[in-house]
Amino acid sequence: MTRNRPSPPAARPPSLPPRPRGGFGRAVLAILWKDLAAEMRSRELLSAMLVFALLVILIFNFAIELAPALRSTITPGVLWVTLAFAGTLGLNRSMAVEKDRGCLDGLLLAPVDRSAIFFGKMLANLVFMLLVAAILLPVYSLLYNINLFRPGLLLVILLGSLGYVAVGTLLAGMAVQARTREVLLPILLFPVIVPVLLAAVRASGGFLQSAPFEQILPWLNLLIGYDVIFLAVAYMVFDFIVEE
Amino acid sequence: MIAYDISIQYMIAGYGTALGVLALYLVSLLLRWRRLKRDLQTLEELQSK
Amino acid sequence: MEPRPKLLSLLTGLSVLLFLATLAVVFLYAPLEARMNYVQKVFYIHISTAWVGMLGFLAAAAAGVAFLATKNLKWDIVEVAAVEISLVFFFIAIVTGSIWAKPSWGTWWTWDARLTTAAILEMIYLAYLLLRQGIEDPERRARFGAVYTLIGGLSVPVTFLSIRLWQTIHPAIIGTASAQAQGGFAMAPTMLQTMFFALFTFSVIFVTLLWHRVRLGRLAEKVEQRKLQEFK
């Protein structure tokens, strides 16, 4: 599914993204590719998210005392609040762009399964969030002299971000179609994302403090459960969001 | 053991807010109903003209 | 608007009578609890309003699913009605819970699973109302509303579980363990009877209110349609 069949070389210039030729996975990848390519060109979304995330870290530094002794308990909270805030910025933008340029209508006219559009957008949002995390972690490690590169923490970030963008992409799709859109997304998203944030913060804290795995496991299970449930639900109801 | 007078105060506060909020909601239902009725009447008068 | 159905008038009268009877039972029949005495009577209204909030929550989720399945706008009216009633009653439940908590636990608020979940549910419903306010097209408003109640309805039990988990792993933050002991009390049979009577009364009140609110929603829809006809 992931590799594209080699197309006849004369048919299209090689710089064009692979066109979906039937097949769900192909369509998803095409949309993901479109978003990533657009971002590679403009870099406006990622740079905004990154600068914002760094600013949040900076503000946290003044707002709460990140004393060395407290770091391993406060760090997961700071990290996830930062990721969640930067995430809403990205989610809003990625859907607003489609809406404003009329691309969403174009996408909907395309002969692909509509849930493929959802998964494509969601994966793109996931990539952006993970990229922000990939830059945030070394910066944070450097600034506060704490090693955040632990395999467990990376796993938690992956699982947490997945649940976050699954619900976030769906709700952003609704929010951009409302009058109060930028304001609406965090209000819609945060109350339903509480389990993800709680579980992610606890699991991250567990890994940072090297807690026994039995204590972390329930949180990981919760994250996985949330991801599965909400991916399935978002997949089922996305049609209702874009239907005209 | 909570002193009787304090306990009674909290009980009154509890029932007071509960009944108060409920009454406010009923009033809001009634006001909305009346306003809609008035709107409907105005619309019907406009239509009959 | 069709005249008020006989059954609704009957239900309304019954609700008022039952409510007065419940107050009488709570204050005259139910025994005074030994340790908390009078403030324990808040418990009856607290648990009944929380129960109505739960009923509204379930009704809203069911109406949301029914709308998505049938695309019939009448389910949207039921959904808004249930959300609104649930919002009001959960609010009362949270406030009365706080008022009870202060003298018996010494604090207005604890991050207990039930309390926190109820507060988050209020947030979800407020967000739901804000979402609806931002959308003019009734059909789209109904669709988005139904999707959001569905997402909210699924996330609330997960939230409850996660907060439970948080507390079993974490030691009591502020008197959760001791609060159980302090806030709990042995229920005398007459207390149980009073509680079930209150629950029954509030269930009837819920049905009555829901019906009235649905009628209000239908009237609003009618006015809306007339306006569209008039100013086309």
Side-chain angles (χ1 to χ4, degrees):
Chain A
M1 275 312 228
T2 49
R3 190 160 300 165
N4 300 304
R5 220 178 302 144
S7 49
R12 282 185 296 131
S15 64
L16 272 186
R19 189 187 299 168
R21 202 172 294 151
F24 189 75
R26 245 160 229 274
V28 170
L29 283 180
I31 290 161
L32 171 64
W33 177 252
K34 168 194 88 65
D35 270 25
L36 294 185
E39 187 53 34
M40 283 293 281
R41 231 170 290 134
S42 68
R43 294 201 189 85
E44 51 185 14
L45 188 72
L46 210 56
S47 51
M49 281 170 85
L50 261 177
V51 173
F52 182 77
L54 294 177
L55 283 173
V56 173
I57 296 275
L58 195 73
I59 287 171
F60 264 124
N61 181 50
F62 299 122
I64 51 179
E65 201 63 50
L66 283 164
L70 289 172
R71 270 174 211 168
S72 62
T73 51
I74 293 180
T75 295
V78 172
L79 216 57
W80 278 101
V81 169
T82 309
L83 273 179
F85 285 177
T88 49
L89 218 62
L91 286 171
N92 244 334
R93 184 83 193 132
S94 94
M95 275 296 181
V97 165
E98 300 283 352
K99 182 80 185 155
D100 291 347
R101 298 186 189 151
C103 301
L104 199 55
D105 302 327
L107 273 180
L108 294 178
L109 287 176
V112 293
D113 196 341
R114 281 181 176 175
S115 43
I117 299 175
F118 170 74
F119 277 112
K121 294 299 289 181
M122 191 202 79
L123 285 178
N125 286 327
L126 182 65
V127 169
F128 293 145
M129 236 179 126
L130 292 179
L131 280 177
V132 170
I135 297 178
L136 201 60
L137 287 187
V139 172
Y140 195 96
S141 305
L142 204 80
L143 287 178
Y144 294 104
N145 193 24
I146 176 172
N147 181 18
L148 293 180
F149 283 92
R150 306 182 192 206
L153 187 67
L154 299 182
L155 174 72
V156 174
I157 287 180
L158 179 67
L159 288 175
S161 305
L162 184 61
Y164 185 87
V165 294
V167 182
T169 307
L170 183 73
L171 294 183
M174 298 206 298
V176 290
Q177 297 183 57
R179 219 174 336 111
T180 42
R181 49 199 214 177
E182 277 84 5
V183 197
L184 203 54
L185 179 65
I187 296 174
L188 291 178
L189 181 57
F190 288 152
V192 293
I193 210 78
V194 168
V196 170
L197 289 183
L198 181 56
V201 166
R202 293 297 137 192
S204 309
F207 280 118
L208 281 182
Q209 291 158 32
S210 315
F213 191 66
E214 300 84 52
Q215 270 183 34
I216 306 173
L217 188 64
W219 295 117
L220 289 181
N221 286 338
L222 191 71
L223 276 177
I224 293 169
Y226 189 97
D227 288 359
V228 170
I229 295 174
F230 281 89
L231 269 177
V233 172
Y235 166 75
M236 284 188 286
V237 299
F238 186 70
D239 261 10
F240 295 115
I241 299 295
V242 290
E243 158 187 305
E244 280 317 315
Chain B
M1 169 88 198
I2 301 166
Y4 280 98
D5 53 338
I6 291 175
S7 194
I8 285 185
Q9 280 168 22
Y10 278 105
M11 182 188 80
I12 292 172
Y15 275 85
T17 43
L19 295 180
V21 173
L22 208 54
L24 273 181
Y25 183 61
L26 291 177
V27 167
S28 104
L29 278 182
L30 194 71
L31 287 180
R32 279 187 279 175
W33 180 264
R34 282 212 187 140
R35 210 190 53 211
L36 283 174
K37 277 278 183 205
R38 213 173 44 222
D39 284 1
L40 195 62
Q41 215 169 17
T42 328
L43 283 168
E44 262 158 14
E45 275 165 21
L46 276 172
Q47 237 160 14
S48 63
K49 254 182 234 166
Chain C
M1 198 72 198
E2 67 265 43
R4 181 191 285 190
K6 271 228 175 66
L7 185 60
L8 182 57
S9 302
L10 203 72
L11 263 178
T12 310
L14 184 67
S15 299
V16 173
L17 281 181
L18 276 173
F19 186 68
L20 293 176
T22 306
L23 286 183
V25 169
V26 165
F27 288 107
L28 303 176
Y29 175 72
L32 206 57
E33 207 268 333
R35 207 148 28 92
M36 285 181 280
N37 54 66
Y38 291 102
V39 80
Q40 186 268 333
K41 291 190 185 298
V42 171
F43 161 79
Y44 300 114
I45 202 154
H46 170 69
I47 200 153
S48 329
T49 46
W51 165 248
V52 172
M54 264 324 277
L55 284 178
F57 168 69
L58 293 176
V65 173
F67 173 78
L68 290 181
T70 62
K71 289 292 164 65
N72 188 335
L73 277 173
K74 79 176 179 197
W75 291 116
D76 183 53
I77 294 174
V78 175
E79 185 192 285
V80 187
V83 164
E84 202 179 284
I85 292 169
S86 187
L87 188 69
V88 171
F89 279 80
F90 262 127
F91 178 72
I92 297 178
I94 290 173
V95 173
T96 50
S98 263
I99 287 174
W100 158 330
K102 182 63 182 158
S104 44
W105 301 345
T107 170
W108 293 107
W109 186 263
T110 68
W111 294 101
D112 159 73
R114 274 167 295 183
L115 228 59
T116 313
T117 309
I120 289 170
L121 190 57
E122 292 276 299
M123 294 297 171
I124 290 178
Y125 280 164
L126 288 175
Y128 168 87
L129 294 178
L130 285 175
L131 171 68
R132 292 185 71 95
Q133 251 177 27
I135 305 167
E136 270 101 29
D137 176 31
E139 200 270 334
R140 180 190 286 172
R141 185 169 58 208
R143 251 190 298 127
F144 285 14
V147 168
Y148 195 62
T149 40
L150 197 66
I151 297 282
L154 280 167
S155 84
V156 162
V158 184
T159 305
F160 182 79
L161 279 179
S162 60
I163 298 171
R164 258 282 147 86
L165 188 64
W166 174 40
Q167 279 166 348
T168 48
I169 288 181
H170 250 242
I173 317 290
I174 180 153
T176 26
S178 58
Q180 291 293 335
Q182 276 181 31
F185 51 89
M187 283 257 241
T190 44
M191 281 183 183
L192 262 182
Q193 289 159 14
T194 311
M195 184 186 91
F196 280 118
F197 186 55
L199 286 181
F200 171 69
T201 300
F202 274 79
S203 305
V204 175
I205 290 177
F206 170 71
V207 174
T208 315
L209 274 180
L210 189 68
W211 195 339
H212 277 293
R213 182 60 184 80
V214 166
R215 274 168 59 84
L216 182 74
R218 288 227 300 273
L219 182 62
E221 191 192 25
K222 195 175 165 191
V223 169
E224 198 74 16
Q225 278 171 359
R226 279 287 172 83
K227 272 186 189 158
L228 281 178
Q229 278 170 18
E230 189 68 29
F231 303 114
K232 214 165 13 186

